[in-house]
Short mmCIF file of all heavy atoms in Angstrom, two decimals:
data_model
loop_
_atom_site.label_atom_id
_atom_site.label_comp_id
_atom_site.label_asym_id
_atom_site.label_seq_id
_atom_site.Cartn_x
_atom_site.Cartn_y
_atom_site.Cartn_z
N SER A 628 7.90 6.41 23.22
CA SER A 628 7.33 7.54 22.50
C SER A 628 8.42 8.31 21.76
O SER A 628 8.25 8.68 20.60
CB SER A 628 6.63 8.50 23.46
OG SER A 628 5.66 7.82 24.19
N LEU A 629 9.54 8.50 22.45
CA LEU A 629 10.65 9.25 21.85
C LEU A 629 11.20 8.51 20.63
O LEU A 629 11.40 9.10 19.57
CB LEU A 629 11.75 9.42 22.91
CG LEU A 629 12.66 10.62 22.72
CD1 LEU A 629 11.85 11.90 22.84
CD2 LEU A 629 13.77 10.61 23.77
N LEU A 630 11.40 7.20 20.78
CA LEU A 630 11.96 6.42 19.68
C LEU A 630 11.01 6.37 18.49
O LEU A 630 11.44 6.31 17.35
CB LEU A 630 12.28 5.00 20.15
CG LEU A 630 13.46 4.86 21.11
CD1 LEU A 630 13.63 3.41 21.55
CD2 LEU A 630 14.74 5.36 20.46
N LEU A 631 9.71 6.39 18.77
CA LEU A 631 8.74 6.25 17.69
C LEU A 631 8.28 7.59 17.12
O LEU A 631 7.46 7.63 16.21
CB LEU A 631 7.53 5.44 18.18
CG LEU A 631 7.86 3.97 18.48
CD1 LEU A 631 6.69 3.29 19.15
CD2 LEU A 631 8.23 3.23 17.20
N THR A 632 8.82 8.70 17.67
CA THR A 632 8.41 10.02 17.19
C THR A 632 8.54 10.20 15.68
O THR A 632 7.59 10.63 15.03
CB THR A 632 9.18 11.13 17.93
OG1 THR A 632 8.80 11.10 19.30
CG2 THR A 632 8.88 12.50 17.35
N PRO A 633 9.69 9.84 15.07
CA PRO A 633 9.79 10.02 13.61
C PRO A 633 8.72 9.24 12.86
O PRO A 633 8.07 9.78 11.95
CB PRO A 633 11.19 9.48 13.28
CG PRO A 633 11.95 9.58 14.56
CD PRO A 633 10.94 9.34 15.64
N LEU A 634 8.48 7.99 13.25
CA LEU A 634 7.46 7.18 12.57
C LEU A 634 6.08 7.78 12.76
O LEU A 634 5.30 7.90 11.82
CB LEU A 634 7.48 5.75 13.12
CG LEU A 634 8.57 4.84 12.58
CD1 LEU A 634 8.40 3.45 13.16
CD2 LEU A 634 8.50 4.79 11.06
N SER A 635 5.78 8.16 14.00
CA SER A 635 4.47 8.71 14.32
C SER A 635 4.22 9.99 13.53
O SER A 635 3.15 10.17 12.93
CB SER A 635 4.41 8.97 15.83
OG SER A 635 3.29 9.72 16.16
N LEU A 636 5.23 10.86 13.48
CA LEU A 636 5.06 12.13 12.76
C LEU A 636 4.88 11.88 11.27
O LEU A 636 4.01 12.45 10.63
CB LEU A 636 6.29 13.01 13.01
CG LEU A 636 6.20 14.42 12.41
CD1 LEU A 636 6.83 15.42 13.35
CD2 LEU A 636 6.88 14.49 11.05
N ARG A 637 5.69 11.01 10.71
CA ARG A 637 5.61 10.77 9.27
C ARG A 637 4.30 10.11 8.89
O ARG A 637 3.69 10.49 7.89
CB ARG A 637 6.80 9.92 8.82
CG ARG A 637 8.10 10.71 8.84
CD ARG A 637 9.31 9.82 8.76
NE ARG A 637 9.48 9.18 7.49
CZ ARG A 637 10.50 9.43 6.65
NH1 ARG A 637 11.42 10.29 6.99
NH2 ARG A 637 10.60 8.80 5.51
N TYR A 638 3.86 9.13 9.68
CA TYR A 638 2.61 8.48 9.33
C TYR A 638 1.40 9.37 9.57
O TYR A 638 0.42 9.29 8.84
CB TYR A 638 2.47 7.13 10.04
CG TYR A 638 3.19 6.05 9.26
CD1 TYR A 638 4.31 5.43 9.77
CD2 TYR A 638 2.74 5.69 7.99
CE1 TYR A 638 4.99 4.46 9.04
CE2 TYR A 638 3.41 4.73 7.25
CZ TYR A 638 4.53 4.12 7.78
OH TYR A 638 5.20 3.18 7.05
N SER A 639 1.47 10.25 10.57
CA SER A 639 0.33 11.14 10.77
C SER A 639 0.22 12.12 9.60
O SER A 639 -0.87 12.43 9.14
CB SER A 639 0.41 11.86 12.12
OG SER A 639 1.61 12.54 12.27
N ARG A 640 1.37 12.58 9.09
CA ARG A 640 1.32 13.47 7.91
C ARG A 640 0.84 12.72 6.68
O ARG A 640 0.07 13.25 5.88
CB ARG A 640 2.70 14.04 7.63
CG ARG A 640 3.08 15.10 8.62
CD ARG A 640 4.31 15.81 8.16
NE ARG A 640 4.65 16.88 9.09
CZ ARG A 640 5.61 17.77 8.88
NH1 ARG A 640 6.33 17.70 7.79
NH2 ARG A 640 5.85 18.70 9.75
#
Side-chain angles (χ1 to χ4, degrees):
S628 304
L629 206 64
L630 289 178
L631 292 171
T632 295
L634 280 183
S635 169
L636 185 142
R637 288 165 70 114
Y638 275 113
S639 55
R640 286 191 177 187

